[in-house]
Amino acid sequence: YQPVRGSNNAVLGVAAFGRDITDLKRADEALRMYKSVISQMSDRIFIINREFLYKLTNESNARWYGHTPMELMGQHVAEFVGAHRFETEVRPTLERCFKGHTLEYDFEDVEPGGRPVIVGARLEPFRDGDGEIEGAVVTLRDVTETRRLSERLERLALADDLTGLANRRAFETWLDTRLQSLAQGDVALRGFSVVFIDLDDFKIVNDTVGHGAGDRFLSGIAERLGEFGSDTVHVARIGGDEFGMVIDGDDRENARAVCARVLAMFDGHNF
């Protein structure tokens, strides 16, 4: 409302103006809720501009460094991650993002309390109203338990339930990896040998003393074969009574010597 005055400055009336601000209110409320959500998220979320300065950060990220969000604003990333790590890891990654790439990767870190953690990172280009990239939106999440569970499941998927040795899937993976390396001319892999071990007449054990005894028999075989395992000798159970070895290196005499030791170990042995 605004008074309307005459030439003698006397108030003649009141002028009233109004406008519809519904959309403005809605936008303001949406922005308030957005800021609230970002602030309360456990993920560390922040924006880094092309000068590697904090343009925005949420509470979780600021708390990681023992600061408030306002204290991080305008500060250089290197002040918090260290000069060496900034130059060798952070800067190259951010520069790739500034070129328009969306990046996802894991890295190891240590939380403020001293606990080692695995952090999942996602970087996306931050664009202005014209679509020009002016920074990077970074999201960091503690994925320690998720990754450890995934690793445990992967190990279980590659292990034989009965004997604890590697299983057929692991054996085939070993072969595939080495064949691909040889095809690509990998000079680090000079060659490898494959050994198949089959137990003759094992069915008699199951038929005469039962499957329980047969399982214990196989476990005993696997335990003895496992003793050959090393950085260059890999042992797996690839079937019911079949085992396999992958021996790295192009020394055939060494591979024959390993096979001879296997035969000698079981020669006349009672389980």
Side-chain angles (χ1 to χ4, degrees):
Y1 296 92
Q2 187 175 356
V4 178
R5 301 179 183 275
S7 58
N8 60 356
N9 204 33
V11 177
L12 301 177
V14 176
F17 302 91
R19 60 174 177 165
D20 185 353
I21 60 171
T22 304
D23 291 341
L24 183 62
K25 282 291 187 181
R26 287 175 179 170
D28 184 65
E29 177 64 13
L31 181 60
R32 185 191 66 79
M33 291 179 64
Y34 174 77
K35 288 182 177 180
S36 178
V37 169
I38 294 298
S39 175
Q40 296 179 46
M41 289 183 69
S42 59
D43 290 353
R44 296 159 56 193
I45 302 174
F46 50 95
I47 297 175
I48 302 297
N49 65 18
R50 284 184 170 274
E51 287 71 46
F52 306 103
L53 306 178
Y54 275 100
K55 184 180 181 70
L56 177 73
T57 182
N58 69 348
E59 292 279 354
S60 294
N61 185 62
R63 191 164 53 247
W64 179 276
Y65 295 111
H67 292 277
T68 65
M70 289 304 298
E71 289 172 338
L72 261 67
M73 297 292 285
Q75 299 298 311
H76 199 282
V77 178
E79 295 184 27
F80 301 96
V81 302
H84 176 73
R85 184 177 174 189
F86 172 74
E87 290 295 339
T88 59
E89 300 177 31
V90 178
R91 182 172 190 153
T93 305
L94 285 171
E95 287 179 340
R96 284 194 63 196
C97 187
F98 295 158
K99 293 178 181 177
H101 298 285
T102 295
L103 309 171
E104 289 190 67
Y105 61 96
D106 293 347
F107 66 93
E108 296 180 354
D109 205 349
V110 179
E111 68 176 13
R115 181 177 71 99
V117 294
I118 300 173
V119 179
R122 179 179 175 85
L123 286 75
E124 300 179 79
F126 178 70
R127 302 177 186 274
D128 60 19
D130 297 324
E132 295 296 322
I133 298 175
E134 60 178 40
V137 181
V138 183
T139 303
L140 303 179
R141 173 177 295 177
D142 184 347
V143 296
T144 307
E145 293 305 317
T146 302
R147 294 296 182 268
R148 286 176 178 170
L149 176 60
S150 177
E151 290 172 0
R152 286 197 294 269
L153 291 174
E154 181 65 20
R155 286 196 298 270
L156 289 173
L158 297 175
D160 178 59
D161 291 338
L162 176 63
T163 65
L165 289 178
N167 60 16
R168 187 183 190 91
R169 178 185 172 194
F171 185 78
E172 291 174 346
T173 300
W174 297 339
L175 295 181
D176 288 342
T177 301
R178 285 159 176 76
L179 288 172
Q180 289 176 18
S181 296
L182 289 176
Q184 295 168 3
D186 186 354
V187 296
L189 181 64
R190 300 186 306 276
F192 65 95
S193 302
V194 181
V195 180
F196 292 99
I197 303 169
D198 180 70
L199 306 181
D200 293 337
D201 300 322
F202 173 70
K203 185 175 182 296
I204 296 175
V205 177
N206 283 334
D207 291 344
T208 56
V209 293
H211 290 277
D215 287 348
R216 291 192 295 274
F217 181 81
L218 287 173
S219 295
I221 294 285
E223 184 178 354
R224 301 302 301 275
L225 288 176
E227 296 175 10
F228 288 89
S230 67
D231 290 340
T232 57
V233 179
H234 313 276
V235 185
R237 181 190 178 204
I238 57 179
D241 60 356
E242 298 176 342
F243 297 83
M245 286 183 171
V246 174
I247 305 173
D248 290 327
D250 59 356
D251 188 342
R252 295 185 179 183
E253 292 306 316
N254 176 63
R256 291 192 179 98
V258 172
C259 293
R261 293 201 303 272
V262 171
L263 292 174
M265 173 181 286
F266 293 110
D267 186 23
H269 189 87
N270 295 316
F271 290 90

